[in-house]
Amino acid sequence: MTETEEGPAAAAARFTGSAVLDARRLSGTLTEVTLDGGRVVMVKRGDGGPGATWAEAAGLRWLGAAGTVRVPAVHGHDEEWLVTDRVPAGRPSPEAAERLGRELAALHAAGAPAFGAPPPDGPREAYIGLAPMRNVDGHDWPRWYAEHRVLPYVRRAVDGGTLGAAEAADFERVCDRLPELAGPAEPPARLHGDLWNGNVLWAADGHAWLIDPAAHGGHRETDLAMLHLFGCPHLDRLLDGYQHTAPLADGWPARIALHQLFPLLVHAVLFGRGYAEQALAAARSALAR
């Protein structure tokens, strides 16, 4: 049997060494598999390009190695499959959110060798969701963010017809002004990298767990800006926990739009004009400062 013919149950058995009792498909790419003895794992079929499961597995291990945030254990991966522990579902609570804020602050403080650094055993050519994300080391955040996060996606959006050439000029102006807009210099933080609410699991154990990272070295305000972008239960309590652990630099709320440029441009490339308009609004908000 080739890997492309193997199903999720067989992948779970291969990576865990346990017999499979039941498999329940949750989506086109995700299957919940019950193993002999009652343990439940999640089997995800890689839906990105080559190296997507490798990048995700390496990201989970790197985040977990910090000993701060909770992430599911990785049982194994190959080019097609990723097998991790299941996180039993619970409900969001103010206490869990505040705890997550403290844990995120500690995760970011664990650091990274450089802006753009991938996890130690992860690929340079990685992904954020279904979009490619190239990890290139940099030591000056404004320059790195412009060259390796904002402008590549502006070009993709223009080439795809989602942004007009004249609109692209707004993003170029933001990039020109990044040194003055970025706030005080920060060391590279260890980022989740795709921290929207859908990648936060509020678990039955009363904790928040993180999944589906696009982990890399970056600016710590980027993870928090992602939580603002798509909403998060009890975000005010999460921020309280973060601020009590590692206060953010003065003026950080005014920089949220700046850090949202990258995820909004990614969404514009993947999902179209509505996100391009949000990215334009964020760029113009940054320029208005």
Side-chain angles (χ1 to χ4, degrees):
M1 177 183 289
T2 65
E3 285 185 4
T4 55
E5 294 170 339
E6 183 182 49
R14 176 161 56 90
F15 285 122
T16 64
S18 298
V20 171
L21 299 182
D22 184 55
R24 182 167 69 99
R25 177 165 290 186
L26 303 180
S27 70
T29 60
L30 198 62
T31 301
E32 183 181 271
V33 176
T34 304
L35 304 172
D36 188 24
R39 188 172 194 173
V40 182
V41 295
M42 305 304 295
V43 182
K44 183 177 180 180
R45 182 192 289 270
D47 54 0
T53 53
W54 173 20
E56 186 172 338
L60 287 170
R61 291 181 176 126
W62 193 42
L63 300 184
T68 56
V69 297
R70 287 165 170 77
V71 296
V74 176
H75 292 282
H77 70 92
D78 56 23
E79 280 296 311
E80 185 172 10
W81 302 106
L82 171 66
V83 180
T84 65
D85 275 344
R86 182 193 64 163
V87 178
R91 296 176 64 85
S93 70
E95 295 77 18
E98 187 167 335
R99 188 184 303 115
L100 177 58
R102 297 194 299 268
E103 293 167 349
L104 274 177
L107 172 69
H108 293 160
F115 298 111
D121 57 344
R124 291 279 176 186
E125 303 297 333
Y127 294 85
I128 178 167
L130 296 176
M133 184 184 77
R134 191 159 188 262
N135 284 320
V136 178
D137 287 5
H139 298 282
D140 176 75
W141 184 80
R143 179 180 299 175
W144 172 84
Y145 187 61
E147 292 181 2
H148 301 293
R149 290 297 182 261
V150 177
L151 294 177
Y153 280 90
V154 170
R155 290 190 286 270
R156 285 175 178 266
V158 171
D159 291 345
T162 305
L163 278 175
E167 293 172 325
D170 284 337
F171 297 98
E172 292 165 359
R173 282 192 286 273
V174 172
C175 289
D176 288 341
R177 290 186 56 195
L178 267 170
E180 67 178 272
L181 297 175
E186 295 256 357
R190 189 173 306 192
L191 297 190
H192 177 281
D194 192 11
L195 195 57
W196 70 288
N197 183 51
N199 288 339
V200 179
L201 299 184
W202 304 94
D205 64 3
H207 294 270
W209 292 62
L210 305 186
I211 60 169
D212 295 351
H216 63 281
H219 196 300
R220 62 187 181 133
E221 291 177 14
T222 299
D223 269 351
L224 301 177
M226 279 286 284
L227 287 171
H228 279 86
L229 182 58
F230 296 110
C232 178
H234 310 296
L235 182 56
D236 55 340
R237 291 289 295 273
L238 188 157
L239 292 171
D240 284 346
Y242 194 105
Q243 291 276 47
H244 279 99
T245 306
L248 295 161
D250 288 347
W252 70 269
R255 296 188 291 271
I256 290 173
L258 191 69
H259 288 271
Q260 290 175 344
L261 289 180
F262 174 52
L264 284 171
L265 286 165
V266 169
H267 278 69
V269 168
L270 292 176
F271 305 118
R273 180 64 188 177
Y275 285 107
E277 291 173 353
Q278 288 187 51
L280 277 166
R284 290 164 181 166
S285 173
L287 288 170
R289 286 177 51 199

